Amino acid sequence: MARHVRRFRFETEVPTEDLEAAVFVSVLAAEAIHGRAAVRLNGRFSVDPDGRQIRCHTESDAGKSIASVFTVLASQMFGEDSFVIEEDESDHVTV
């Protein structure tokens, strides 16, 4: 079975509060596109402040939107070289 989880791994100098704010804005944008119910049901993500990682489940359209918006925001806010995006082999993604 294919994995549909993207992990955004950040450098240590990126403030955790700023990462969380970027995720929040990404979720709001996905709600504007897909509706609040669709995002609540299908927009799975997790924020790991200790490891400076964000995981986003991208199997649903809502999840893809969260990941896409977050990618643009993070690139603008922190710089494209401040993080890498990887395919995550784990299934550990929670809301």
Side-chain angles (χ1 to χ4, degrees), residues 6-12 14 19 51-55 70 80-86:
R6 297 293 180 260
R7 177 179 34 195
F8 298 81
R9 194 166 37 86
F10 287 84
E11 300 295 324
T12 57
V14 176
L19 289 178
R52 301 279 186 207
Q53 297 181 66
I54 308 293
R55 288 183 177 87
F70 183 77
E80 290 188 13
D81 294 335
S82 67
F83 66 99
V84 295
I85 305 169
E86 304 166 327

Side-chain angles (χ1 to χ4, degrees), residues 10 18-19 21-29 66-80 82-83:
F10 287 84
D18 292 346
L19 289 178
V23 170
F24 177 73
V25 171
S26 300
V27 171
L28 286 177
I66 293 169
S68 294
V69 172
F70 183 77
T71 300
V72 172
L73 284 175
S75 295
Q76 291 296 312
M77 292 173 71
F78 314 119
E80 290 188 13
S82 67
F83 66 99

Side-chain angles (χ1 to χ4, degrees), residues 42-77:
N42 302 310
R44 295 171 42 202
F45 61 90
S46 65
V47 179
D48 178 17
D50 295 336
R52 301 279 186 207
Q53 297 181 66
I54 308 293
R55 288 183 177 87
C56 188
H57 194 280
T58 56
E59 186 171 47
S60 70
D61 289 340
K64 287 176 189 170
S65 292
I66 293 169
S68 294
V69 172
F70 183 77
T71 300
V72 172
L73 284 175
S75 295
Q76 291 296 312
M77 292 173 71

